[in-house]
Amino acid sequence: MEHLAQLIKLQDYISRYEWNPFRYPSQFIRLKQENWKKLTVEWEQIVEEPEEEEASPKSSRFSKWKRWKQKPRVDVTGERDHTESLPPTKEELKHYFLNRLMEIQMKWATSTITDISYINQKYSYDPEIKYFLQRFPDTYLIMYYPIFNIKKAPIEGEIIVITPINIEIIYLMDEGKDAMIIASDERTWTVDVQDKRYKIINPHIALKRTEQIIKSVLAFHDLEFPIKKTVLSKTNEILYTDEPFYTQLVGRKQYEEWFLTMRSLSSPLKNQQLRVADALLKHCQTSSVKRPEWDEETYAFGFTEENN
């Protein structure tokens, strides 16, 4: 089955993972695997369903999907859907499944059984959230611009990826298709695009701020874990004379190598990784309200809450 990283914190929304960070990551991986097998069996039954009447291979194929479309089925939200059909190919089925899991991940990142946060709808369609969740391994725990509560003051962090072996803090950059980013040790960097040139704040400042927060939290909880800092641009070339100390600059030319390295890590969840996630979540700000009594969640893919 394809990758799907886990969104453990989104801004200051309440999260299942902060409720129990030692249980939900492994539970999600197991339920994902179980429900992919169930969906595959269901899909294969549709593919192998015999035709009642003789027909050409092409018409036979599409008549199966037409008949399936008429059968009521249960959607990921738990509601019966009389119109949605399973896709005709295995590859499309994978995308279908991952997109439904994305919906579940967004729910887990914005609610618990008893509480709920009202999400800004822009995050439901944020392409970068989808990118980080659907491109990286199940054992990667993502904090998407978390808001930390440091000395009673809210401070927004950069994107944090907690892998089984380290933490990677990522500063995303996209200055437009034709822009070139020129890095320096100064407080500002330069962006060249066609005949224009302008300054931007050095991303290392934001990365360093997030790094200092993480280091202070880990020290408070007597934890040690390697930390990496990365400036990432999938669309722009980043030019530099000397790479900043302990900061990786990944521009358009270095992106593929970085991406393959990130995807290639094969490791189960680690206890130290979960302890680190627990510590960071404890120092995040959370804004939520009690879930209305009538607002009860159900899931078609078997992602029901398991009370241990």
Side-chain angles (χ1 to χ4, degrees), residues 8-262:
I8 67 171
K9 190 67 177 179
L10 171 60
Q11 285 274 286
D12 64 343
Y13 300 135
I14 195 167
S15 165
R16 298 290 207 277
Y17 294 91
E18 62 187 278
W19 211 31
N20 193 333
F22 294 95
R23 166 185 152 196
Y24 279 100
S26 57
Q27 179 180 323
F28 185 84
I29 293 172
R30 177 174 55 78
L31 289 172
K32 172 196 165 187
Q33 294 169 344
E34 290 176 356
N35 286 281
W36 169 245
K37 290 178 182 178
K38 291 178 184 177
L39 185 65
T40 303
V41 169
E42 184 180 4
W43 178 82
E44 288 174 347
Q45 289 175 346
I46 302 300
V47 173
E48 296 169 1
E49 185 180 26
E51 286 294 315
E52 295 179 0
E53 299 178 2
E54 290 187 5
S56 66
K58 184 176 180 180
S59 63
S60 172
R61 177 187 180 213
F62 285 100
S63 63
K64 289 176 184 177
W65 304 117
K66 183 177 179 181
R67 290 202 307 277
W68 171 248
K69 192 172 183 179
Q70 295 171 347
K71 297 178 182 179
R73 54 187 305 273
V74 183
D75 190 14
V76 67
T77 59
E79 299 177 354
R80 296 187 71 78
D81 188 336
H82 294 267
T83 59
E84 187 175 20
S85 62
L86 291 180
T89 69
K90 190 69 170 286
E91 190 61 30
E92 290 174 319
L93 185 71
K94 290 179 181 179
H95 291 296
Y96 166 88
F97 185 64
L98 290 177
N99 286 335
R100 294 303 175 270
L101 291 184
M102 274 284 298
E103 296 174 17
I104 293 171
Q105 273 287 296
M106 291 301 290
K107 284 188 176 182
W108 280 24
T110 57
S111 67
T112 66
I113 294 176
T114 58
D115 296 85
I116 189 169
S117 296
Y118 293 107
I119 183 173
N120 186 325
Q121 287 304 308
K122 72 176 184 179
Y123 292 116
S124 299
Y125 307 100
D126 189 325
E128 297 302 341
I129 292 180
K130 186 172 183 178
Y131 166 79
F132 278 100
L133 294 190
Q134 294 194 348
R135 296 295 187 275
F136 298 110
D138 300 342
T139 54
Y140 281 28
L141 309 178
I142 312 295
M143 302 179 76
Y144 195 76
Y145 298 110
I147 298 178
F148 292 98
N149 195 338
I150 306 298
K151 296 181 180 180
K152 298 183 179 180
I155 302 177
E156 183 178 86
E158 298 304 312
I159 296 170
I160 300 170
V161 181
I162 309 172
T163 81
I165 62 173
N166 62 22
I167 292 172
E168 184 153 352
I169 310 168
I170 298 175
Y171 187 101
L172 280 181
M173 298 190 72
D174 185 354
E175 297 298 324
K177 182 180 178 182
D178 299 321
M180 180 179 294
I181 300 169
I182 303 172
S184 74
D185 294 330
E186 305 298 325
R187 182 174 175 79
T188 59
W189 285 8
T190 303
V191 177
D192 275 342
V193 52
Q194 297 178 351
D195 58 346
K196 296 179 181 179
R197 172 174 284 199
Y198 58 91
K199 299 287 186 178
I200 57 174
I201 299 295
N202 188 333
H204 187 66
I205 296 172
L207 287 171
K208 189 68 176 177
R209 181 173 59 244
T210 302
E211 180 187 37
Q212 289 301 324
I213 292 172
I214 293 172
K215 283 184 174 180
S216 66
V217 169
L218 296 187
F220 180 82
H221 291 274
D222 196 25
L223 293 170
E224 293 185 0
F225 211 54
I227 300 173
K228 294 174 59 178
K229 301 188 297 292
T230 300
V231 177
L232 174 64
S233 179
K234 294 174 281 185
T235 55
N236 305 120
E237 185 176 350
I238 302 178
L239 299 182
Y240 57 90
T241 304
D242 297 309
E243 195 169 52
F245 194 52
Y246 288 128
T247 300
Q248 181 180 205
L249 302 184
V250 180
R252 177 171 50 83
K253 291 183 177 180
Q254 300 83 22
Y255 170 71
E256 190 67 21
E257 181 182 355
W258 174 87
F259 176 69
L260 293 175
T261 300
M262 289 286 285

